[in-house]
């Protein structure tokens, strides 16, 4: 008797996290640097590092930007750098100074070290590393300035562990920002993306003002206003496994006010 094909249970969430695609050369060996800010990510950083180092991307380099984590994340990053000589750089900052400032420090270091492409990823494992080859291949094939791993284009999805309140807040934030800034990006608050180095140079990183999650919005808006081609591909966004969210009241307030300031400053530019 021929076995009947199994059908997925419609009550189960659909997983879209891919196995890493194999890119052709020379794309696979592109000088790609992944920038990962950390604060109290001692449990997650070794897992993320192992995932990144296992990708079929021989040109991949990791820059960890640690904000003097009390849980020893910085020391763990240093040990990982010794285990992977020449592939990991650790930037130690003296204090917690915001996600935006950490990304600017890491991206600046990546560009100084000759990166041709720079990826942004959270350290909390919410951004599946397996999408990186797909992001890189899309960047090459479309000649985009930035490719965004999007939760809100067709095929994108959120962790089933996200509650209704969190989903509504995220959806409202995207709608609000797109309305204020008139930017044609579906996931304008996304933090998982890959930049072409030449695109980053047009954004004038030292002048970025946002310190919290509004940094993502400011980067997207500058890219759009400066004529960079923006492409979104669908991803499955995982929920944090270890540790706690860095979102607080001050960060949320900045995220609400920053789009209005960005609109004014870009119009004066």
């Amino acid at each position: 008797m021929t076995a009947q094909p199994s059908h997925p249970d419609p009550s189960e969430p659909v997983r879209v996290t891919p196995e890493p695609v194999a890119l052709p050369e020379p794309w696979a060996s592109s000088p790609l640097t992944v920038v990962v800010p950390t604060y109290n990510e001692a449990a997650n950083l070794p897992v993320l590092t192992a995932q990144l180092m296992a990708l079929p991307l021989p040109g991949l380099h990791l820059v960890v930007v640690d904000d003097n984590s009390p849980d020893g994340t910085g020391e763990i990053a240093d040990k990982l750098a010794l285990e992977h000589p020449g592939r990991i750089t650790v930037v130690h900052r003296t204090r917690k100074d915001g996600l935006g400032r950490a990304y600017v420090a890491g991206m600046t270091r990546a560009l100084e070290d000759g990166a041709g492409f720079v990826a942004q990823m959270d350290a909390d494992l919410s951004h599946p590393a397996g999408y990186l080859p797909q992001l890189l291949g899309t960047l090459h094939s479309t000649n985009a300035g930035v490719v965004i791993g999007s939760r809100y284009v067709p095929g994108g999805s959120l962790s089933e562990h996200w509650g209704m309140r969190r989903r509504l807040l995220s959806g409202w934030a995207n709608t609000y920002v797109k309305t204020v800034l008139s930017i044609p990006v579906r996931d304008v608050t996304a933090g998982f993306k890959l930049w072409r180095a030449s695109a980053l140079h047009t954004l004038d990183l030292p002048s970025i003002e946002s310190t919290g999650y509004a940094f993502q919005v400011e980067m997207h808006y500058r890219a759009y206003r400066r004529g960079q081609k923006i492409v979104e591909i669908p991803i499955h966004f995982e929920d944090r496994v270890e540790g706690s969210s860095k979102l607080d009241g001050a960060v949320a307030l900045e995220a609400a006010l920053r789009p209005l300031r960005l609109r004014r400053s870009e119009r004066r530019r």
Side-chain angles (χ1 to χ4, degrees):
M1 179 181 294
T2 304
Q4 295 297 313
S6 60
H7 297 283
D9 183 345
S11 66
E12 291 294 319
V14 177
R15 292 284 181 166
V16 297
T17 304
E19 289 295 319
V21 299
L23 296 178
E25 294 292 355
W27 291 3
S29 296
S30 299
L32 165 64
T33 297
V34 181
V35 177
V36 177
T38 58
Y39 185 78
N40 287 350
E41 299 287 0
N44 292 324
L45 184 60
V47 178
L48 176 60
T49 299
Q51 292 174 351
L52 292 173
M53 295 296 113
L55 291 174
L57 299 172
L60 185 147
H61 187 89
L62 172 62
V63 172
V64 178
V65 184
D66 186 67
D67 280 3
N68 197 24
S69 298
D71 72 346
T73 302
E75 290 80 2
I76 291 172
D78 287 334
K79 292 177 181 177
L80 291 168
L82 292 175
E83 294 172 10
H84 302 276
R87 298 196 68 188
I88 299 177
T89 298
V90 184
V91 177
H92 293 280
R93 303 203 307 158
T94 57
R95 63 189 179 93
K96 187 180 181 184
D97 191 32
L99 181 74
R101 301 264 57 82
Y103 264 126
V104 167
M107 289 175 162
T108 300
R109 178 62 181 269
L111 294 174
E112 289 173 348
D113 290 347
F117 308 91
V118 180
Q120 294 177 232
M121 286 186 73
D122 289 346
D124 62 6
L125 307 178
S126 59
H127 298 150
Y131 286 107
L132 272 173
Q134 190 175 340
L135 289 169
L136 182 59
T138 303
L139 194 79
H140 278 296
S141 61
T142 63
N143 201 32
V146 57
V147 177
I148 298 170
S150 177
R151 300 161 290 183
Y152 300 124
V153 295
S157 58
L158 291 165
S159 168
E160 62 272 20
H161 298 296
W162 271 42
M164 184 56 66
R165 179 178 176 275
R166 193 174 178 189
R167 290 172 183 268
L168 290 173
L169 179 61
S170 178
W172 175 86
N174 265 280
T175 300
Y176 166 72
V177 170
K178 287 186 290 185
T179 300
V180 171
L181 298 180
S182 300
I183 179 172
V185 174
R186 297 287 289 272
D187 195 349
V188 73
T189 60
F192 186 24
K193 69 203 77 168
L194 179 59
W195 296 88
R196 194 177 297 273
S198 58
L200 286 178
H201 284 301
T202 70
L203 304 191
D204 187 21
L205 289 175
S207 70
I208 294 288
E209 297 178 354
S210 303
T211 58
Y213 288 92
F215 168 80
Q216 313 294 2
V217 174
E218 184 168 357
M219 292 286 282
H220 292 150
Y221 189 52
R222 287 196 181 198
Y224 170 61
R225 294 285 296 184
R226 286 156 176 73
Q228 294 298 321
K229 183 176 181 179
I230 302 173
V231 175
E232 295 180 83
I233 67 169
I235 67 163
H236 176 74
F237 185 88
E238 296 285 0
D239 199 16
R240 169 183 283 277
V241 178
E242 299 285 348
S244 59
S245 171
K246 311 302 188 296
L247 182 64
D248 58 23
V251 171
L253 180 62
E254 182 201 30
L257 295 178
R258 179 61 63 185
L260 299 172
R261 295 172 180 168
L262 286 175
R263 185 174 63 180
R264 287 197 299 268
S265 63
E266 282 294 323
R267 286 178 176 176
R268 289 196 303 266
R269 181 178 177 267

